[in-house]
Every structure is written in structure tokens, then in C-alpha cells.
Amino acid sequence: MIEKHFVKQSIKKVQLHQYLKKELGRAGFTGFEMVKTPMVTRIVVNVSRPGLAIGKGGQNIRTLTETIAKVYGVDNPQLEIKEIMQPDLDAKSVADKMKGMIERGFAWRSVAFRTLQDIERAGAVGMEVILSGKLAGKGGRKKQVRFIKGYMKKVGDQVKLVDEAKVTTYPKVGAIGVTVRIIRPGTFFPDKIDVKQTLYDRKHPPVKESPVAAGTSVTIPEEKTTVTEKAEAIVNEKAEVPKGDAA
């Protein structure tokens, strides 16, 4: 049945994601896109450090391509490495970075504050970091802590515009869940209103020009001549008159 075919393809994608995550974890792997064409199967891999993903002389690319073709049965795969230009604005990259720092022994609170500062410096409109789990140390109960800055969308269809990622880190005290939400610069929300601009538009409404009906004569007011302009005209006339005529 066709349903089994789609389920099989989805399982293959999950297994391929796990394999690429294991092999390209040091390169900052965040995800991949697979596009099948009549000639080849293009696999675009998003990483933050493309040098580590490519390897010396492209050795890593060749190894990954051969493994994907043999083990996962992808027809004629063509691997492409795409660099993440701003890792601090990619939720998955930020979440993986926090996971590594917490597992290396850094305090979760300092990691969260440092992450917010990095995202803010990158120019994000809004950011949110949620940590939940064993935060109180040995013998403490689990809890949840939320850090937020800027504007964040929570409900509605416009939540799709928010970049979100979730990971689980495993320090010595216990598991900690990490959720990162980022609104990238330039994201437009139709329901967001600029209050200052709205008040300015109300105080300074645009002047509408009334249309003139056909056959209607419009009287243009004459320009009024000031006293200074009249005096200058008289002086110019006297200067232009020849001396003989003046006599």
C-alpha cells in the first residue's frame, strides 16, 4: 500500500538525520533537506562550521556520500554543505551550543544569560529560553525557569514565523530540557501595530486633494507683490533708461 511507502520514507529520513548528526556534530549540524530529481538526489546539509564537515580534500564528503548510498539506499546522492551565516539566530544551533556547555559543567543560569546576550547582539526581534528539569542540584526537586527578551509570539498561525528548537542535555545531576525560540530580524507580523507611528498619523492626517469636475473653471489666485519687490522693479527701470531720454 502507498501508506507503507510514505512510512518507510519517513523512517529512512529519521535514520539519516541521526547518522548525519553523529558524524557532523562537531561541525554544528542543525538539519538537512533532501530533494529528489530525475538525475540525482540532492541532500543539502546545514552546518555552522563547513570546514569540519568537508574535511581535508573533501574526504568527509566522499565518505558520507558512499555510506548514504550503500546503507540507506539513496539513489545517486549528491551532498552539498550549506553554511549557517548567523548561528546565533538559528534556534537549533543555539540549543545545541547550550547543551554542550551545560554538559561540560557550566552553570545553567550563566549559560542562559550569555545565550540571550549573544542572540540580542545578533539583532533578533525577540528571544526566549526555557530550562526545565534537575536545576536545583542533588536532592532538589525539578523546576522550570524561563528567560525572555523582546517580542515573542505564542499563539495563532503566526507562530510558524518563530524559529523553535528543543534538546535534552544530561549533566551529572540529571536531565535538563532546553527550549529556544527566536524571532529573526525582518520578520513581519500583520497584527503588530507601531503605537508611535499610529499616534503620529492621527495627529498629522494626509491632505486629500478633491477632484475637479469636467467643465468647472478653477480660479488661480494672483501672486501678491511685496513692497520690496516693487521698489526693486522701479530701480531697475530707472537704470535701464538712457541718459539722453532722461534729459
Side-chain angles (χ1 to χ4, degrees):
M1 296 176 67
I2 192 170
E3 292 84 358
K4 293 183 178 180
H5 173 73
F6 287 117
V7 172
K8 187 177 180 180
Q9 292 293 329
S10 300
I11 294 174
K12 185 186 295 184
K13 284 186 178 180
V14 172
Q15 294 174 347
L16 183 58
H17 184 277
Q18 294 175 351
Y19 170 71
L20 292 175
K21 178 66 177 177
K22 178 182 177 181
E23 297 295 329
L24 302 177
R26 293 180 56 196
F29 172 79
T30 60
F32 74 96
E33 297 177 2
M34 188 163 57
V35 181
K36 193 170 184 178
T37 63
M39 299 296 294
V40 298
T41 303
R42 294 177 60 250
I43 301 176
V44 182
V45 181
N46 300 317
V47 296
S48 58
R49 294 181 289 276
L52 295 176
I54 296 173
K56 187 176 181 180
Q59 182 63 33
N60 290 349
I61 296 294
R62 290 192 290 270
T63 304
L64 291 174
T65 303
E66 294 175 359
T67 305
I68 291 172
K70 293 180 181 179
V71 178
Y72 299 97
V74 179
D75 298 332
N76 195 11
Q78 182 180 0
L79 214 61
E80 297 181 11
I81 303 298
K82 182 179 179 182
E83 182 182 4
I84 301 173
M85 302 307 297
Q86 291 182 307
D88 290 331
L89 294 177
D90 187 88
K92 182 62 177 175
S93 178
V94 172
D96 289 338
K97 182 180 177 181
M98 292 183 64
K99 175 183 177 181
M101 293 179 69
I102 293 175
E103 288 181 348
R104 287 198 300 269
F106 289 89
W108 58 267
R109 194 180 297 274
S110 62
V111 171
F113 280 114
R114 180 179 176 181
T115 301
L116 287 179
Q117 292 176 359
D118 293 341
I119 299 173
E120 187 177 12
R121 279 195 295 266
V125 177
M127 62 219 75
E128 182 182 24
V129 175
I130 300 176
L131 299 172
S132 58
K134 290 287 291 183
L135 302 176
K138 186 176 181 180
R141 300 179 64 182
K142 64 179 182 179
K143 63 177 182 179
Q144 184 182 86
V145 182
R146 175 171 170 260
F147 306 87
I148 188 170
K149 268 189 177 183
Y151 179 81
M152 181 55 59
K153 202 72 178 176
K154 288 291 189 177
V155 296
D157 186 67
Q158 297 174 14
V159 177
K160 297 178 181 178
L161 301 176
V162 180
D163 189 18
E164 181 179 355
K166 296 181 179 181
V167 296
T168 305
T169 178
Y170 298 94
K172 294 181 179 179
V173 295
I176 297 176
V178 180
T179 303
V180 179
R181 296 188 181 98
I182 300 175
I183 298 179
R184 297 190 177 98
T187 305
F188 174 72
F189 293 98
D191 62 341
K192 188 176 180 182
I193 301 174
D194 190 350
V195 178
K196 293 182 179 180
Q197 186 64 33
T198 304
L199 294 176
Y200 179 83
D201 294 339
R202 288 180 181 178
K203 291 182 179 179
H204 306 84
V207 180
K208 296 183 179 179
E209 298 181 358
S210 57
V212 180
T216 306
S217 60
V218 179
T219 304
I220 301 176
E222 297 180 357
E223 295 182 357
K224 295 183 179 181
T225 307
T226 60
V227 177
T228 307
E229 293 176 353
K230 289 182 178 180
E232 290 180 356
I234 294 172
V235 172
N236 293 333
E237 288 178 1
K238 289 183 178 181
E240 293 175 356
V241 175
K243 294 181 179 180
D245 296 344

